[in-house]
Amino acid sequence: MNKLLRKYGTQPIFYQFFRKMKLTILIVTVSILSCFSAETYSQTTKLTITENNSTLLNVLRTIEAQSEFKFFYNEKVDVNKQVSVEVTQKSITEILDKVLSSTSVKYKVLGRQIALYDKNEMEPFISEQQQGKKITGKVTDQSGAPIPGAAIVVKGTTIGITSDSDGNFALSLPSEAKVIVFSFIGMKSQEIDITGKTSVNIIMEVDAIGIEEVVAVGYGVQKKANLTGAVATVNSKELVAVTSPDFSNALSGKLPGLRVQTLGSEPGVYDNQIDIRGWGSMLVVVDGIPRWDFQRIDPSTIDNVSILKDASAAVYGVKAANGVMLITTKKGKAGNNEITLNSSFGFEQMTDYPRAIPNSIDNLILKNEAALVAGNPLPFPDYKKYTGEDPNYPSVDYWKLTVRDKMPMSKNDVSFSGGTEKITYYISLGNLHQTGIYKTNSMNYDRNNFRANLSAEIVKGLTANVIFGGMMDKRDDPYGGSSYDFMKQVWMQPPYEPVYANNTSPYYYDGQADRNPVAIINSDLTGSRQYQMKKFETTMSLAYDVPFITGLKVKGLFAYDVQYNIGTEWRKAYNEYKYDVTAKNYIPTGINNPTQLRKSFDEYMISQYQVSLEYKKSFAGGQHNIESLLLVDRRNTFGDGFGAQRYFSLDAISQIDAGLTDNQVTWGSNKILDGNMALVGRLNYNYRSKYLTELSFRYDGSSLFPAESRWGFFPAISLGWRISEEPFIKDNFSSISNLKLRMSHGVMGDDSGAGGFQYISGYNYPSDNYIFDGKTLTSGSSSKGLANPNITWYTATTSNIGVDGNLWEGLLDFTVELFQRKREGLLSTRAATLPSEFGASFPQENLNSDLSQGFEFVVGHSNKINEFSYNIRTNLSFTQQKWLHYEQSSAGNSYLNWTNVNENRLQNMIWGYGAAGQFQTQDEINTSPVQNANGHAALFPGDVKYVDWNEDGMIDSHDRYPIAHNEIPQTFFGAEMSGGWKGLSLSLLFQGATGYSQTPTEQLMGPLPWGRNSLTIFLDRWHHQDPLDFNTPWVPGKYPISRDGFGFGPNKETSTYWVVDATYVRLKSIELAYVLPVNWAKRIKAKQVRVYTNAFNLLTWKSKGVLFDPEHRGTGDGGDNGYKYPVMASYNLGLSITF
Amino acid sequence: MKQRFKYICSLLVITTLSWTSCTKFLDKQPVNVLTETSILSDKAAFTTHMAYLYNQIPFENFSKWIWLSYYTDEMVNCRQDAGTSEEFSFNSWGSSYTLIRALNNMIEKVPSATAFTTEKEKTEALAELKFIRAYVYFTLVQRYGGVPLITEVSPLPASGDPAELYKARDKASDVFKFIETEMESAINGMSSETSVYRFNKWSGLAYKSQAMLYAASIAKYEEVQLNGVIGIPNSEANHYFGVARDAAKLLIETGPFALYSQDADKVKNYHNLFFDKSNTNKERILVDAFVFPIKANRFDLFTAPFSHRGGEGYGGRFDPTYDMAESYEYTNNANGAIKLNNPDGTPIRYANPADLFKDKDPRFLASAIFPGSPWMGTTLQIYGNVIEGGVLIGGNGADGLSQPEGTATGFYLTKWADPAPPRPIAYSSSDVDKMMMRYAEVLLNYAEAQLELGNEPEARKYINMIRERAGLPAFVNPVTMNDYRHERKIELAYEGNRYWDLKRWRIFDDVIYNTDTYALWPIYDKDNNAYIFTKAKLPSDKYTRTFTSKLYYSRLDGGIIASNPLLVENPGY
């Protein structure tokens, strides 16, 4: 505030600018072109001010502190004049009329900007009658949306105008005019050289300083300038390239500290690993209510996303230990009635994914070679005949037969938004369609989203908000195989086996693989699996500005969410065949017989209410500012579900009631009963936005714990100091626009992982079972174990130190955060203390503790050179975790103690052998330490050579040591770049991670699993020059010689041979967009037409040796032995029209 | 100002009240938890707890027992390295004591329970619980030797010091004494109904004979070690043989049981014995029942010949060894050696490979299939090489031997495999029952006890009952202990008994010591459309097994001793 007052107080640009504009123009602009959201602000904003015997300056400060208004004036205005004012819920004009009535000061309102001038001066009207040339153009934001109400002023003069509702302007220029200045609140001012130009289109950029920006924080919003916590935020303008089905993909690499890893891109599975600072799954709050499935939200309905990374999350108490993500959806704006249509079409393509050998001869050479290695006769001496030309000697490329190259996808949505002063609305409908990799087109995903955000002022001061959202999706798969099964089979299916027995369709050949991969993706043959989710979210709230207490607001909120998950698994019986040549008949093998339907129905419900009191006040002319909140929050979660299974005698009708009652099965599932209650308080105080403090607490109760240990108190404190507001900086370093130091410290909790009702004794029912009569099952009831009266949540104490800076007006801005989180009381079972013969174990206790430390930084740069504006922001976050206490019994000996003990040790390490490459010669094998229990006998050149780490002459488990970080990256980084030139804009997002590894397994570590097919990578192996003549010389290769089965055991030990660093950098997204010139758009009566093309995962640079896409987990947690659906790149073309 | 203050206060009060008024809201009740009160007062609820207890009994049923045969000379797994037994451990200590705690709890509380309408019901329930407890202790003493006898539910020590709970291992003889007396009194209290699905008087007697025979063998064949924690004094052998004999005798004389012989075809009869779920199957004494689909097993899946396996793969997991096949007699020759070669040493060419096993013990033919056996409408093609044009080349019979999941030994186990599965073979498609205890074992137990006590004629009589039912000639001459053991091995083959028999007779390390496994390796002579057979040694790195003497008892793993320092580790570990 001071900064602006100072700046424009001494440089009367605005003052002069307003002088020239006729009041009538202003009024006309406001009333006719009601799309001026900025203009309505002055009418809809009601303020309550009490300033007795104060100065005009103090009154102005108070108004600025309470609102988004900014005042501009020059030295002729006497701001130290004594004034008094006491108003309640009055508009700005009413207030100013009253305040200024006793002075010689007059004012003009333009949007949120108010100019004050002395009545003896000329009014700050902009003259329409200037001589000389004229310049026209359009002001838009980076997404191409028009900006109405932007100020366009000739530099060094008083001449200026504002843009109209379409962002257009036409300004008459004095002949000497060379540069015009564009400015708009929250955007960076731009100076444009207009020499020789008659039109100029300008793209305004969000002000990187962003200190006027408002950021969502727990239970409210806060000005970024006053923020003291570690909060990262991204708004809809920055969420370009959001055609990805998974909303979290749009956040990847954008928010420092938010870590997103795509494990697989199976449609409808939402297989992203997401956390904040590596802390585990976070609480996600959508429009004020904790909700799940946020990845399914239609990204185009998101207004902004904040993540709370430190004690600022403490107001969420017992669920907040892993940080909080706040998602706010779009709201309507008064007057701005708009319809937006958005369509994009594209396709997905697999990133790196290993393939199986596509031809028989290569496969059979490996098989024969493996037989020779084992000392057996060749199983396929006639392998050379398998060229595929003779039907008796097939060679089938199963991958090509089943997997398509390009998977189409499309996304369409329409939104309506706008409103009047009393009622605003935002309504959106969206559809997404995605297809899977099968050539049979049997894997499909459809999602429909809708959202209606309505707000109405019922009576003066009383506002009602209703948010109604829905997500309905449907995922279809063939029954024959999940993607896991399919990947496994298509890798394993030997190419020398035909697709059809006797090469006759549809007699699918019954081969060695568990299933014929061509058959399993045929849902007409094998049936289908369908998973539907229907979710409805309702939030209703009433807010009341208490009339005679200035700044007091009462709010009540009620939310009710329901979700249904409906699973339908239709398993059709079918046959695979062998052909008996002599009898000339097909011999069937029945699969999935009898036909069966499994139907499951799960229901979830969350109800939540909140009652809150908010109080806001500024004292002493805005020098002391207080905001406070007291809130009661109650939440109830309920889940129930059941399923049923029947067999069918015919497969024409897939309805459960058409099934046979014999052998039917039912089951229950998903019993959830969970409640939380809390009292939340927060107090913010700042002195002139220079010294900032925030205190908060949450007194929280969780039904997971017994009454005695149910309640917890979670306090937090944070402090901020805007050094740049101090005179010694302001006066000496004009290049420092913003410099803020802040720190926070707070306690949060987590009740997850405390399985329900541990404090109650009793018997779980049903659990286990027995047949007492030879026919029917009697469900069992087993003791829940010792009751656990002491169990409670664990606590996480988070400390954060941050610095925000902005230099040279945005040429350089940065944020650095240092953090640590100490968790204490993590649930664990006391180690080896109760004798086993006691027959029961200690219940879980809050025993373990760990420490996570790390840092983040963001460096940004934005600039504009002529009409080219650009913006670069890079971020990096690093986290490391170690155990402080890990409850475990001591192992039998010192080596085991050393290897097994977790205490004071980094988490996420992999123990394994060091591999010194591969043996090169038999001599090398013979002279090396004994490699395994079989000695040297079974080894060949090319086999993995392990390091005798403890130098005892043999390789055994004692030679293991920490060889790598596991599949969870320590460091994530991202770099966003965007540039705009006229209507064109380009944005790129690079994203990467390091400090982790990928480990292959099963088929990735050995060729010929179950003697079937092999991956092509294994062709690059140690072999003899003539692979089937072991007397010929060796030819080195990347992998050991072919062996039957899953490879040779000793080669497959976890070692540095297999565990590879998975560091990568990828062009996560790129989007090129063009906003059509306005006159073109007008032809279809549109305000704006934007065409764009974007791509995800277009380019990847990764470490050598990483077999998969680097985000895929390989064998690690969530990697499914490598059979996980591949990660996709996608390419889209889109069109967005706003009317 | 005062007005405002009041206003604020009242709002604060309302807000706070809305909070305090409903903290009870957090007192949730689980929807799937039964209270102990209802278990003790409601018969149906009590039965659910019994179902849990039965579920937890460490029976060697279809999920556990069959693996024991991998460690003996009976069979191997085509996909799994033969166990050296070195690392093999039951790890049943903790789970057994969890079960014992639950049993102790019920034994304590059933006397005052109100779930029963008659005193008889209550007595029977109590006796059944006690019998289960005695049986669990028997499984423990089999595995570990003497264990701490815990018969009461102890609470957590008030002091928080677990040392108060430490208890040393009781002597093996004391544990067996406990089992003897507990079983004795439980049998008196248990129902004499003939349900074969839970313990009653009859199954009680059968198991008593098993447990007491075990004690007697330990006493007779094993040294006392660790001050009696392992081993029973030799002097007690005859006592236990006597108790075993009497229990078996009482069952034989008063029980409603008989050897199954409903089919004149001895092969069919022996095979059907395991499939006949009807009450006319009087061989059944205790059965772990399976009912498709609510509780099914994967027996058919694991045993299926390669060409018959279902869509889910597997098969060939239970492969009887060559030696086991030779152990079975011929009906006309007590020497079961397989005839591979002519007297001149040249291989016999079998036009019909099944002829190799002509006149074999019907129990073999009912338990195993081999090259040339008919199976589910086909003739099994098991061979590992082919002679073509006089040259030996690699070969791959549709059912083995070089198939990746075909038999490793040339044999597939069919003892519980259904030759006409009622449904396609799948992971859970088989519902053959597992007979935990059958009449034949009781007869053998009786015979063994009599033989050990020197009453050979009585023993021979019962051994011959088994042989006759099987279709083998009766012993005419006095039987030796070896004759008996051989008969027991054959009759109860693959049922899990042999593992324990080898242990209690202390001959495991004689039978399995660096022992190679052999396969029947057929070669298909394409030129003559005939088979020749060889005896092939399976790769020693996978299939050569050994048994060291420490393995007679399982290790008390680190955690068990660490949690109770008074425990002593078994010898050799």
Side-chain angles (χ1 to χ4, degrees), chain A residues 398-431:
Chain A
Y398 278 91
W399 183 275
K400 218 168 158 184
L401 217 54
T402 49
V403 178
R404 57 177 163 192
D405 285 343
K406 294 181 172 59
M407 284 61 87
M409 59 188 277
S410 64
K411 187 174 180 302
N412 294 290
D413 53 74
V414 55
S415 68
F416 308 88
S417 80
T420 65
E421 275 181 40
K422 298 275 185 199
I423 296 179
T424 61
Y425 63 92
Y426 172 83
I427 297 166
S428 162
L429 297 165
N431 169 267

Side-chain angles (χ1 to χ4, degrees), chain A residues 437-452:
Chain A
I437 59 172
Y438 304 147
K439 275 200 166 151
T440 48
N441 201 17
S442 51
M443 183 190 269
N444 286 288
Y445 178 65
D446 264 292
R447 187 183 72 200
N448 292 301
N449 292 72
F450 74 84
R451 181 164 291 278

Side-chain angles (χ1 to χ4, degrees), chain A residues 735-749:
Chain A
S735 57
I736 301 179
S737 325
N738 182 36
L739 184 65
K740 181 162 70 175
L741 256 183
R742 51 191 165 73
M743 62 77 56
S744 69
H745 185 77
V747 181
M748 283 146 280

Side-chain angles (χ1 to χ4, degrees), chain A residues 401-505:
Chain A
L401 217 54
T402 49
V403 178
R404 57 177 163 192
D405 285 343
K406 294 181 172 59
M407 284 61 87
M409 59 188 277
S410 64
K411 187 174 180 302
N412 294 290
D413 53 74
V414 55
S415 68
F416 308 88
S417 80
T420 65
E421 275 181 40
K422 298 275 185 199
I423 296 179
T424 61
Y425 63 92
Y426 172 83
I427 297 166
S428 162
L429 297 165
N431 169 267
L432 170 84
H433 179 72
Q434 226 186 328
T435 52
I437 59 172
Y438 304 147
K439 275 200 166 151
T440 48
N441 201 17
S442 51
M443 183 190 269
N444 286 288
Y445 178 65
D446 264 292
R447 187 183 72 200
N448 292 301
N449 292 72
F450 74 84
R451 181 164 291 278
N453 292 358
L454 309 173
S455 174
E457 189 178 8
I458 298 166
V459 294
K460 198 160 181 280
L462 180 67
T463 311
N465 274 291
V466 177
I467 299 177
F468 191 49
M471 302 182 235
M472 293 138 291
D473 71 356
K474 183 160 74 91
R475 181 157 72 90
D476 283 302
D477 276 349
Y479 188 90
S482 59
S483 58
Y484 174 98
D485 292 332
F486 173 75
M487 291 302 167
K488 190 172 178 174
Q489 302 308 337
V490 81
W491 273 355
M492 274 200 300
Q493 177 70 19
Y496 56 83
E497 288 188 345
V499 181
Y500 300 109
N502 196 30
N503 292 301
T504 306
S505 173

Side-chain angles (χ1 to χ4, degrees), chain A residues 637-941:
Chain A
T637 311
F638 167 83
D640 197 1
F642 64 91
Q645 170 193 314
R646 277 185 178 180
Y647 294 117
F648 284 67
S649 55
L650 75 170
D651 61 13
I653 295 171
S654 56
Q655 294 297 315
I656 195 84
D657 50 342
L660 308 168
T661 52
D662 283 356
N663 294 329
Q664 65 184 6
V665 181
T666 59
W667 62 90
S669 59
N670 186 42
K671 311 284 180 199
I672 299 171
L673 208 54
D674 195 357
N676 272 86
M677 266 197 86
L679 183 66
V680 182
R682 181 168 57 206
L683 177 67
N684 289 75
Y685 165 78
N686 73 66
Y687 175 71
R688 309 180 92 174
S689 280
K690 190 185 341 180
Y691 306 114
L692 314 159
T693 58
E694 179 178 298
L695 295 168
S696 72
F697 75 90
R698 184 178 176 114
Y699 184 60
D700 208 357
S702 165
S703 69
L704 295 180
F705 308 120
E708 302 75 45
S709 56
R710 175 174 292 162
W711 293 94
F713 184 74
F714 302 96
I717 180 171
S718 60
L719 303 169
W721 177 28
R722 283 181 63 202
I723 306 172
S724 53
E725 294 298 290
E726 297 288 355
F728 63 87
I729 299 281
K730 265 208 274 202
D731 299 343
N732 300 321
F733 304 97
S734 60
S735 57
I736 301 179
S737 325
N738 182 36
L739 184 65
K740 181 162 70 175
L741 256 183
R742 51 191 165 73
M743 62 77 56
S744 69
H745 185 77
V747 181
M748 283 146 280
D750 200 323
D751 61 3
S752 65
F757 301 108
Q758 286 197 29
Y759 57 95
I760 293 173
S761 69
Y763 293 80
N764 286 324
Y765 178 81
S767 68
D768 305 312
N769 52 57
Y770 204 75
I771 294 174
F772 281 132
D773 61 357
K775 291 189 274 298
T776 52
L777 210 57
T778 302
S779 294
S781 55
S782 62
S783 169
K784 288 174 87 261
L786 299 178
N788 191 353
N790 300 319
I791 187 170
T792 189
W793 61 88
Y794 68 78
T795 58
T797 309
T798 306
S799 309
N800 194 90
I801 297 174
V803 182
D804 301 316
N806 190 303
L807 307 175
W808 302 292
E809 298 281 315
L811 284 181
L812 178 69
D813 71 277
F814 63 88
T815 294
V816 179
E817 312 260 12
L818 276 173
F819 66 86
Q820 81 164 33
R821 178 185 72 164
K822 188 176 175 186
R823 296 194 294 177
E824 287 163 301
L826 294 166
L827 287 173
S828 178
T829 309
R830 206 181 281 200
T833 42
L834 280 183
S836 306
E837 309 81 68
F838 181 69
S841 40
F842 273 125
Q844 282 190 312
E845 289 175 79
N846 298 91
L847 294 172
N848 286 351
S849 55
D850 70 358
L851 181 71
S852 153
Q853 288 173 316
F855 62 87
E856 282 146 21
F857 67 78
V858 186
V859 179
H861 165 67
S862 52
N863 199 3
K864 184 170 164 60
I865 300 162
N866 298 329
E867 286 189 49
F868 176 67
S869 61
Y870 66 95
N871 184 13
I872 300 172
R873 294 179 73 72
T874 59
N875 68 70
L876 182 145
S877 68
F878 169 87
T879 305
Q880 208 168 44
Q881 305 206 37
K882 71 171 185 181
W883 290 109
L884 295 177
H885 178 74
Y886 189 89
E887 187 75 10
Q888 65 187 143
S889 50
S890 71
N893 60 54
S894 59
Y895 174 79
L896 287 176
N897 267 334
W898 178 67
T899 55
N900 295 346
V901 166
N902 288 305
E903 198 134 312
N904 274 318
R905 187 166 288 167
L906 286 182
Q907 298 175 9
N908 305 326
M909 296 301 293
I910 295 177
W911 285 66
Y913 295 94
Q918 292 159 280
F919 286 111
Q920 300 296 312
T921 61
Q922 190 62 45
D923 276 354
E924 191 184 350
I925 295 171
N926 296 342
T927 55
S928 293
V930 177
Q931 293 281 309
N932 58 62
N934 289 328
H936 296 309
L939 294 177
F940 284 91

Side-chain angles (χ1 to χ4, degrees), chain A residues 1035-1098:
Chain A
V1035 179
K1038 192 174 165 195
Y1039 295 99
I1041 193 167
S1042 171
R1043 288 182 173 91
D1044 210 351
F1046 285 96
F1048 179 56
N1051 279 341
K1052 300 197 298 177
E1053 298 288 353
T1054 303
S1055 74
T1056 53
Y1057 177 77
W1058 293 108
V1059 180
V1060 288
D1061 176 11
T1063 300
Y1064 72 95
V1065 178
R1066 77 192 326 171
L1067 179 52
K1068 192 83 193 168
S1069 68
I1070 176 170
E1071 180 165 289
L1072 179 67
Y1074 181 61
V1075 176
L1076 266 57
V1078 179
N1079 46 349
W1080 295 16
K1082 281 209 165 126
R1083 286 186 200 165
I1084 55 164
K1085 298 198 164 59
K1087 273 187 198 164
Q1088 194 205 54
V1089 178
R1090 182 171 180 266
V1091 292
Y1092 58 91
T1093 176
N1094 62 36
F1096 287 90
N1097 294 339
L1098 185 62

